């Protein structure tokens, strides 16, 4: 198939450090290419891919000190996608919902990567209830019964991305992700200290969370038992997770997926997670970790988590969360989406009336190509 992947511009694909959505887009794109599909990636110019890269800004917006407003850059990208829309059997968007008004007549799919339970979202999804969405967990779609979800596709990782540590790990618990109130690093610190175990925190601090970090978390970093590592890259992540006795995932919000949970599983590291959002869908109770509802319960089951078989954790990861499985699931959805009838409309595309015959011919050629 001819597939377009449209990524956010805040991070490169893959991101240099933190960036869950861009990381997933990278894994998906590379696996689709490996499976023989013709893939075009619309992303920042510093992205690295085996697909055809269309640069939509010179570098990741978060790393570009001259960028003050991301919206104009996103609009330029969407216009580039629109110019080439009929080159593809399907256009797969990962940029929330900015594109929806402009691509109604294109075979396209939108994966929602963020939380969807905010009141401001509701009128939007009522308006665009006929367009196809993919959720990354069943929990993510619950607030939007009016939206047209055509599938749930769990994230996946390349099987060779993280080498599992199946031998004895180090002596510490791990927290990985982002320092923010909803991720609850303070809860991770409380659990580790109450259990008498060292904790290592590898996390990004966004500007929006700097007050929380300095006011709440920094005062808790006053002992040798808690080490703040900061942001880490993929190579360091393998060692960081693989040497941990367990990953603490003590969230306090409806997490749509939680990529760090399967990253830990890939390393053979079990997960102790709080029951919210997608967590019960991702954790296989008693195999890859335990799901709890309170700090007290977390302390009670922590010894059970530490005793889990690390080889079984890795095996379950391979069975459920590979990038090959993720790509195959998406291809099934792509084929269904691509069979929709296209109604070319010159008011939507930059095509003059004299160019309409070639536009219609391109649409007909695409229909014949996908059968």
């Amino acid at each position: 198939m001819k597939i377009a992947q449209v990524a956010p511009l805040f991070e490169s694909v893959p991101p240099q450090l933190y960036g869950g959505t861009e990381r997933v887009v990278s894994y998906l794109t590379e696996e689709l290419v490996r499976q023989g599909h013709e893939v075009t990636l619309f992303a920042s110019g510093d992205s690295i891919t085996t697909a055809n890269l269309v640069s939509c800004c010179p570098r990741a917006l978060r790393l570009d000190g001259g960028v003050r407003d991301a919206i104009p850059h996103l609009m330029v990208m969407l216009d580039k996608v629109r110019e080439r829309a009929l080159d593809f059997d399907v256009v797969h968007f990962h940029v929330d919902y900015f594109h929806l008004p402009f691509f109604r007549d294109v075979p396209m799919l939108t994966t929602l990567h963020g939380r969807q339970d905010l009141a401001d979202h509701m009128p939007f999804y009522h308006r665009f209830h006929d367009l196809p969405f993919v959720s990354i967990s069943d929990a993510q779609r619950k607030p939007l019964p009016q939206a047209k979800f055509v599938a749930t596709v769990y994230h996946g990782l390349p099987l060779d991305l993280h080498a599992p540590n199946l031998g004895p790990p180090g002596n510490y618990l791990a927290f990985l992700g982002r320092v923010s109130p909803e991720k609850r690093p303070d809860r991770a610190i409380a659990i580790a200290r109450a259990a008498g175990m060292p904790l290592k925190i590898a996390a990004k601090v966004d500007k929006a969370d700097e007050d929380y970090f300095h006011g709440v978390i920094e005062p808790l970093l006053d002992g040798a038992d808690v080490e703040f590592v900061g942001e880490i890259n993929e190579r360091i992540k393998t060692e960081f997770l693989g040497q941990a006795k367990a990953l603490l995932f003590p969230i306090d919000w409806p997490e749509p997926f939680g990529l760090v949970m399967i990253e830990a599983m890939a390393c053979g590291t079990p997960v102790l997670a709080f029951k919210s959002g997608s967590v019960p869908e991702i954790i296989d109770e008693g195999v890859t970790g335990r799901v709890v509802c309170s700090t007290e319960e977390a302390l009670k089951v922590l010894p059970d988590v530490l005793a889990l078989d690390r080889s079984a954790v890795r095996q379950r990861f391979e069975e459920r969360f590979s990038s090959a499985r993720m790509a195959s699931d998406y291809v099934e959805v792509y084929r269904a989406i691509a069979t929709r009838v296209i109604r070319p409309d010159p008011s939507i595309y930059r095509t003059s009336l004299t160019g309409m015959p070639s536009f219609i011919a391109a649409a007909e050629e695409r229909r014949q190509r996908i059968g």
Side-chain angles (χ1 to χ4, degrees), residues 24-57:
V24 170
V25 172
S26 176
Y27 301 150
L28 174 59
T29 297
E30 301 312 304
E31 179 60 29
L32 289 170
V33 172
R34 192 194 69 78
Q35 293 185 8
H37 300 284
E38 184 178 334
V39 186
T40 299
L41 173 65
F42 293 82
S44 62
D46 53 349
S47 297
I48 300 174
T49 181
T50 57
N52 303 310
L53 176 63
V54 176
S55 174
C56 299
C57 62

Side-chain angles (χ1 to χ4, degrees), residues 274-350:
F274 275 56
K275 186 177 182 180
S276 188
S278 64
V279 166
E281 297 176 54
I282 309 305
I283 301 293
D284 285 306
E285 189 76 25
V287 179
T288 58
R290 293 292 300 273
V291 180
V292 299
C293 297
S294 68
T295 298
E296 293 73 23
E297 188 181 359
L299 290 168
K300 182 179 179 180
V301 306
L302 181 58
D304 296 336
V305 175
L306 301 181
L308 290 175
D309 183 348
R310 296 177 73 92
S311 62
V313 173
R314 169 69 188 195
Q315 181 178 348
R316 189 58 58 89
F317 157 76
E318 293 180 0
E319 293 169 353
R320 297 189 62 201
F321 298 114
S322 71
S323 57
R325 189 274 312 152
M326 172 176 63
S328 296
D329 287 353
Y330 271 120
V331 168
E332 286 188 25
V333 181
Y334 295 159
R335 294 195 187 283
I337 295 296
T339 58
R340 290 197 320 158
V341 175
I342 297 179
R343 298 178 304 278
D345 184 344
S347 68
I348 295 178
Y349 299 94
R350 241 193 277 161

Side-chain angles (χ1 to χ4, degrees), residues 126-324:
H126 275 294
R127 176 70 178 179
F128 296 98
H129 64 89
D130 57 323
L131 298 181
F133 296 95
V134 162
S135 53
I136 56 177
S137 66
D138 291 339
Q140 184 195 32
R141 63 167 68 183
K142 288 180 180 178
L144 298 174
Q146 72 277 27
K148 182 181 178 181
F149 286 102
V150 295
T152 290
V153 178
Y154 293 137
H155 291 335
L157 310 178
L159 294 182
D160 60 355
L161 180 66
H162 297 297
N165 175 22
L166 304 181
N171 69 336
Y172 63 90
L173 301 173
F175 177 96
L176 175 65
R178 179 166 50 89
V179 172
S180 63
E182 65 271 15
K183 297 286 188 178
R184 294 302 300 268
D186 60 319
R187 188 183 270 169
I189 294 171
I191 293 170
R193 282 188 167 147
M197 297 184 65
L199 175 69
K200 292 187 179 183
I201 300 174
K204 166 190 178 184
V205 181
D206 280 333
K207 288 184 178 181
D209 296 313
E210 286 180 351
D211 289 344
Y212 172 74
F213 175 70
H214 294 305
V216 177
I217 300 304
E218 210 167 36
L220 300 176
L221 307 177
D222 58 352
D225 57 338
V226 180
E227 179 184 355
F228 184 77
V229 179
E231 283 191 78
I232 58 176
N233 61 29
E234 209 68 18
R235 178 181 57 81
I236 297 174
K237 187 184 294 183
T238 300
E239 181 178 359
F240 176 81
L241 289 173
Q243 289 298 319
K245 282 184 173 294
L247 172 76
L248 299 183
F249 195 71
I251 59 170
D252 194 15
W253 74 298
E255 177 79 59
F257 186 84
L259 190 63
V260 65
M261 289 190 286
I262 67 171
E263 290 175 328
M265 294 175 198
C267 297
T269 301
V271 181
L272 176 56
F274 275 56
K275 186 177 182 180
S276 188
S278 64
V279 166
E281 297 176 54
I282 309 305
I283 301 293
D284 285 306
E285 189 76 25
V287 179
T288 58
R290 293 292 300 273
V291 180
V292 299
C293 297
S294 68
T295 298
E296 293 73 23
E297 188 181 359
L299 290 168
K300 182 179 179 180
V301 306
L302 181 58
D304 296 336
V305 175
L306 301 181
L308 290 175
D309 183 348
R310 296 177 73 92
S311 62
V313 173
R314 169 69 188 195
Q315 181 178 348
R316 189 58 58 89
F317 157 76
E318 293 180 0
E319 293 169 353
R320 297 189 62 201
F321 298 114
S322 71
S323 57

